[in-house]
Amino acid sequence: MWATPSQLKTKGIIGMNRRNIRYIGRYNDRRLYPLVDDKLQTKLLAKRYGITTPDLIGTVTNQFSVKHIAEMVAGHPGFVIKPAKGSGGKGILVVEHQDAEGYIKPSGHRLHREDLERHVSNILSGLYSLGGSPDVAVVESLIDFDESLSEYTYEGVPDIRVIVFKGYPVMAMMRLSTAASDGKANLHQGAVGVGLDIATGTALRGVQFDRTRVDHPDTGHELSSLQIPDWEVLLTLAANCYEMTGLGYLGTDMVLDRRHGPMLLELNARPGLAIQMANGEGLRPRLDLIERQDEGIGVDARVAFSRQHFARRGELQEAVA
């Protein structure tokens, strides 16, 4: 059923215009955008601030170096090739393992050396970059994601999006890859979005293709038992990105590595609004509350504030109660 504008306003739902003018336009200085629009810059910046990210294997910056990609990834069982300036998950190639005959994606599809070279060449030409500008191919180690989450995802690494406003974590969701999304954690391609309680990291509500879900469409595993390990550490990492970038309205994307715990994957200065649907709640009341807080509050205090004021019980818990 469609909701009327007045119903959306009552629920505190914000739209693109309000997001762009009230929050992004007011709190995000455009000169800082390159820090998050370029994944390589983000990675190097995070390293300076002591924030863990996937290991950098190398970069390819020109067409002459494309033919060396196979040598670069030799000895790495799994790896990811992505455009530095890509968006929406476009141009990300995940190789789960390799053998003498080629490179195997999570789906089992086999690639060969020329496939890697073609993909890297396309990245450099700007096929996946913002505005089609020439780009750099970033090659990273494959994330060894936490086994406790394996039943909640299909052929891909689940990630966690946290909206951070003025350094406060205000809303979070986990994106679970599916067969429909080709193993990518992209809601527009069919991944499942699961709203998360800011206080505990437990699942609140599941959605796929704008419809509610209580289980994963491929594994069949119910979503109500989902709880993110190291939740406070993850929120603290997200909140630290405010000081790291200087951006007041920010989307932080993180993953849970088996050995390293929460890791920063990338940042977004124009985060989407589907997180409201996954949570079944609008952002506006939370953003309004943050705007009324004093400046100069430390990271730990901001995280504690968010956990106290934004705690809630969701539909998935009520369904199994």
Side-chain angles (χ1 to χ4, degrees):
M1 296 180 62
W2 293 95
T4 65
S6 61
Q7 289 173 321
L8 294 175
K9 184 176 181 179
T10 300
K11 285 184 170 289
I13 303 295
I14 66 170
M16 288 183 65
N17 287 341
R18 185 174 182 86
R19 181 203 65 174
N20 294 344
I21 298 169
R22 170 81 183 193
Y23 304 112
I24 294 177
R26 180 179 295 187
Y27 294 102
N28 289 356
D29 189 329
R30 291 192 65 85
R31 68 183 175 81
L32 299 174
Y33 279 25
L35 297 177
V36 298
D37 285 346
D38 187 321
K39 296 177 180 62
L40 183 57
Q41 283 202 48
T42 303
K43 180 179 287 291
L44 298 177
L45 182 64
K47 185 176 181 179
R48 291 205 302 270
Y49 276 78
I51 294 177
T52 307
T53 64
D55 291 336
L56 179 66
I57 295 174
T59 61
V60 182
T61 60
N62 56 70
Q63 294 289 349
F64 177 77
S65 301
V66 168
K67 61 184 179 182
H68 300 300
I69 185 64
E71 299 168 22
M72 181 182 293
V73 300
H76 295 274
F79 55 89
V80 178
I81 303 176
K82 61 175 66 172
K85 300 175 184 176
S87 64
K90 297 175 183 176
I92 297 177
L93 174 64
V94 178
V95 172
E96 192 172 66
H97 61 278
Q98 56 178 302
D99 56 26
E101 298 180 10
Y103 309 91
I104 299 88
K105 297 173 62 176
S107 64
H109 181 72
R110 182 179 292 276
L111 302 174
H112 300 285
R113 178 173 182 152
E114 55 268 26
D115 296 314
L116 294 192
E117 293 177 354
R118 185 183 308 110
H119 186 74
V120 172
S121 182
N122 286 339
I123 289 175
L124 298 182
S125 68
L127 183 62
Y128 311 107
S129 68
L130 294 167
S133 59
D135 209 343
V136 171
V138 178
V139 187
E140 296 178 336
S141 294
L142 187 66
I143 298 157
D144 187 13
F145 80 92
D146 196 308
E147 281 186 331
S148 66
L149 302 173
S150 60
E151 293 181 297
Y152 301 101
T153 191
Y154 179 81
E155 291 185 353
V157 177
D159 70 11
I160 299 146
R161 160 67 60 87
V162 180
I163 299 295
V164 177
F165 181 51
K166 300 184 71 175
Y168 291 82
V170 293
M171 192 169 282
M173 70 173 171
M174 184 166 231
R175 298 177 291 198
L176 309 174
S177 56
T178 65
S181 69
D182 191 29
K184 296 179 181 178
N186 187 306
L187 298 187
H188 298 294
Q189 295 177 340
V192 173
V194 181
L196 300 172
D197 175 28
I198 284 289
T200 63
T202 54
L204 297 173
R205 183 173 189 260
V207 293
Q208 184 190 32
F209 293 123
D210 300 337
R211 297 177 180 272
T212 57
R213 286 209 69 98
V214 297
D215 59 2
H216 192 283
D218 303 303
T219 70
H221 196 72
E222 45 76 29
L223 301 175
S224 61
S225 61
L226 177 63
Q227 181 164 11
I228 309 304
D230 298 323
W231 182 241
E232 185 171 1
V233 175
L234 188 146
L235 287 184
T236 302
L237 185 156
N240 269 302
C241 291
Y242 173 54
E243 278 82 6
M244 186 179 88
T245 64
L247 292 165
Y249 189 79
L250 188 66
T252 67
D253 294 340
M254 284 162 287
V255 291
L256 294 169
D257 187 86
R258 189 181 308 176
R259 293 170 296 163
H260 304 293
M263 303 173 71
L264 177 65
L265 195 59
E266 61 183 72
L267 299 171
N268 195 318
R270 316 165 194 81
L273 297 169
I275 194 168
Q276 298 176 109
M277 183 177 295
N279 279 266
E281 184 176 348
L283 278 161
R284 184 169 179 174
R286 303 188 183 194
L287 301 178
D288 288 348
L289 179 60
I290 297 303
E291 285 189 313
R292 295 195 294 270
Q293 304 310 304
D294 294 333
E295 301 290 337
I297 306 299
V299 173
D300 291 343
R302 297 197 305 261
V303 170
F305 179 94
S306 294
R307 297 182 78 183
Q308 176 185 350
H309 288 84
F310 304 144
R312 57 173 286 224
R313 183 178 174 86
E315 298 172 16
L316 291 170
Q317 282 71 40
E318 293 170 356
V320 299

